[in-house]
């Protein structure tokens, strides 16, 4: 399906030129003044607007501001000014009004095609990222649908994981990807019966064996995507219950056999679980949590990641406070 571009100019000859340049590759809509432009934006939701500045009823800068004001926050419409005004002051005014580029008349077909293609590629990338985030949101919540965890747990834990990764020496891009992937660590709980997930009493050996299948289930679901964030999530889902001393599951991996991503998420997950109040327990005080994590250094957790944890406790507490406020606001909004 061709993307829609709205071309705004009060001169028919200029509209015809742009039609000749772009009509083979895009669905084009035309407007000749500000009022028609606002109507066309509402009706056609174009991906881009090529906007002249000198319109008969409004200047292009003010029109751009009006367009931005009427848009839903989720909409991403790129505005490129196409005008005979080529001085720096007009260019600065265009960017200040919300434009993303500035093309001078008389236009070069090659320049118009290149600029339009480049900016629309960014729109597609933004839409793809938003789709990933929406899928992550759904999978993260789905993994806890039958669990007793609150929805905030997965996002707070992910923020802890990102902070630990940065402290461990991961670069910003890699840490941010881990923070996106971490909420999906328990996706495999989709395959675990509600009677087990919500059982208030200790699990039987059979029930525990069933519970221990959720890493493999999550891995099988998440690895179906080739996207790097889902590949990382699959790795985390499969390995976040492995332990440094080899006593974890599903495969009893030990030490550096366990991927760094899973070692980081394992500590973040336990820290968050212990700091949460749940139906069957009170939240642990920080000192008790720290004692537990220190005591399991080299058995449950990677010793180096425990050291990072100790160094960034104040940062983790800031994250905890931030999410506590968010939960309180959300709870008030549901009353």
């Amino acid at each position: 399906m061709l993307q829609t571009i709205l071309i705004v100019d009060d001169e028919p000859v200029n509209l015809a030129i742009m039609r000749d340049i772009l009509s083979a590759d895009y669905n084009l809509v035309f407007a000749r003044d500000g009022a028609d432009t606002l109507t066309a934006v509402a009706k056609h939701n174009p991906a881009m607007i090529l906007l002249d500045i000198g319109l008969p009823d409004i200047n292009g800068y003010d029109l751009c501001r009006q367009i931005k004001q009427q848009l839903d926050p989720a909409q991403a419409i790129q505005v490129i000014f196409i005008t005979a005004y080529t001085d720096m002051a007009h260019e600065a005014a265009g960017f200040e009004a919300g434009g993303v580029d500035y093309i001078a008349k008389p236009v070069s077909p090659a320049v118009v095609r290149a600029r339009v293609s480049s900016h629309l590629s960014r729109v597609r990338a933004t839409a793809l990222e938003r789709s990933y985030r929406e899928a992550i949101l759904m999978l993260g919540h789905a993994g806890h649908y039958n669990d007793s965890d609150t929805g905030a747990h997965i996002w707070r834990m992910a923020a802890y994981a990102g902070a630990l990764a940065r402290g461990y020496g991961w670069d910003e891009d890699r840490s941010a990807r881990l923070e996106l992937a971490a909420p999906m660590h328990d996706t495999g709980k989709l395959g675990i019966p509600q009677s087990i997930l919500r059982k208030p009493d200790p699990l039987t050996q059979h029930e525990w064996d069933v519970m221990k299948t959720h890493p493999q289930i999550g891995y099988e679901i998440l690895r179906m995507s080739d996207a790097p964030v889902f590949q990382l999530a699959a790795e985390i889902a499969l390995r976040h219950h492995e332990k440094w001393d080899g006593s974890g599951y599903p495969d009893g991996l030990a030490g550096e056999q366990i991927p760094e991503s899973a070692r980081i998420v394992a500590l973040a997950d336990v820290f968050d679980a212990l700091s949460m109040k749940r139906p069957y327990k009170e939240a642990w005080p920080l000192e008790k949590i720290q004692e537990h994590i220190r005591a399991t250094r080299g058995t449950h957790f990677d010793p180096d990641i425990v050291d990072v944890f100790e160094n960034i406790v104040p940062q983790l507490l800031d994250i905890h406070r931030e999410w506590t406020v968010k939960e309180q606001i959300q709870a008030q909004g549901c009353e």
Side-chain angles (χ1 to χ4, degrees):
M1 183 176 179
L2 298 180
Q3 290 176 290
T4 297
I5 298 176
L6 171 59
I7 302 174
V8 184
D9 198 302
D10 61 328
E11 294 293 339
V13 66
N14 292 332
L15 297 176
I17 290 171
M18 299 304 293
R19 183 181 61 236
D20 290 343
I21 295 172
L22 298 170
S23 61
D25 300 307
Y26 304 98
N27 177 44
L28 303 183
V29 179
F30 302 94
R32 296 182 61 178
D33 57 35
D36 287 347
T37 299
L38 294 174
T39 299
V41 169
K43 180 178 180 181
H44 299 285
N45 188 28
M48 174 176 286
I49 302 172
L50 303 181
L51 180 57
D52 186 29
I53 293 175
L55 299 174
D57 57 344
I58 189 172
N59 73 68
Y61 306 134
D62 289 340
L63 180 56
C64 182
R65 293 188 185 94
Q66 289 188 26
I67 292 168
K68 298 290 184 179
Q69 288 171 0
Q70 80 173 26
L71 293 178
D72 182 278
Q75 289 177 279
I77 297 181
Q78 305 272 27
V79 177
I80 297 178
F81 290 103
I82 299 185
T83 178
Y85 301 123
T86 58
D87 58 277
M88 294 293 292
H90 278 90
E91 287 194 28
F95 290 123
E96 189 276 331
V100 297
D101 210 339
Y102 202 95
I103 300 176
K105 295 178 180 178
V107 299
S108 160
V111 168
V112 171
R113 292 191 191 99
R115 300 279 183 85
V116 167
S117 176
S118 174
H119 287 290
L120 286 178
S121 293
R122 295 175 193 174
V123 171
R124 286 190 291 269
T126 299
L128 182 60
E129 181 181 355
R130 186 164 59 248
S131 296
Y132 279 157
R133 288 182 178 274
E134 290 171 352
I136 290 164
L137 171 67
M138 290 184 286
L139 284 169
H141 280 287
H144 290 264
Y145 184 75
N146 285 323
D147 209 339
S148 58
D149 292 333
T150 64
H153 158 66
I154 56 175
W155 306 111
R156 184 174 54 236
M157 183 278 291
Y160 293 151
L164 286 168
R166 294 176 185 93
Y168 192 59
W170 284 25
D171 63 33
E172 181 57 35
D173 287 346
R174 195 179 178 200
S175 299
R177 183 177 296 168
L178 178 72
E179 197 164 335
L180 275 178
M184 296 180 279
H185 69 292
D186 273 338
T187 296
K189 286 184 177 179
L190 284 167
I192 306 302
Q194 182 175 348
S195 60
I196 293 177
L197 290 173
R198 290 187 173 272
K199 185 176 180 181
D201 302 316
L203 300 181
T204 66
Q205 185 58 53
H206 172 70
E207 290 169 337
W208 183 238
D209 289 341
V210 173
M211 175 66 85
K212 290 197 293 185
T213 64
H214 83 267
Q216 186 69 42
I217 295 170
Y219 172 76
E220 295 297 337
I221 292 171
L222 294 165
R223 75 185 183 95
M224 296 174 70
S225 171
D226 292 330
V229 67
F230 289 108
Q231 289 293 308
L232 180 59
E235 175 181 272
I236 293 167
L238 182 62
R239 300 303 179 196
H240 71 284
H241 282 296
E242 302 285 3
K243 295 184 178 181
W244 186 255
D245 66 358
S247 64
Y249 64 90
D251 295 313
L253 300 186
E256 294 184 358
Q257 292 177 316
I258 307 167
E260 288 181 358
S261 61
R263 288 182 251 158
I264 291 169
V265 169
L267 196 152
D269 192 27
V270 169
F271 174 70
D272 190 56
L274 295 179
S275 66
M276 287 171 58
K277 180 179 179 179
R278 291 184 175 177
Y280 53 86
K281 77 170 188 68
E282 294 296 318
W284 286 20
L286 176 63
E287 296 76 11
K288 185 177 179 181
I289 296 173
Q290 288 179 288
E291 288 175 7
H292 173 78
I293 291 175
R294 291 186 193 118
T296 50
R297 182 182 188 274
T299 54
H300 189 164
F301 302 117
D302 178 344
D304 290 340
I305 295 176
V306 172
D307 292 343
V308 171
F309 165 80
E310 296 277 25
N311 290 334
I312 67 166
V313 164
Q315 185 179 347
L316 299 178
L317 293 179
D318 286 341
I319 293 170
H320 180 81
R321 282 189 288 269
E322 177 185 345
W323 275 99
T324 298
V325 171
K326 288 180 179 179
E327 282 188 285
Q328 291 171 345
I329 293 172
Q330 184 178 18
Q332 291 170 358
C334 293
E335 293 177 355

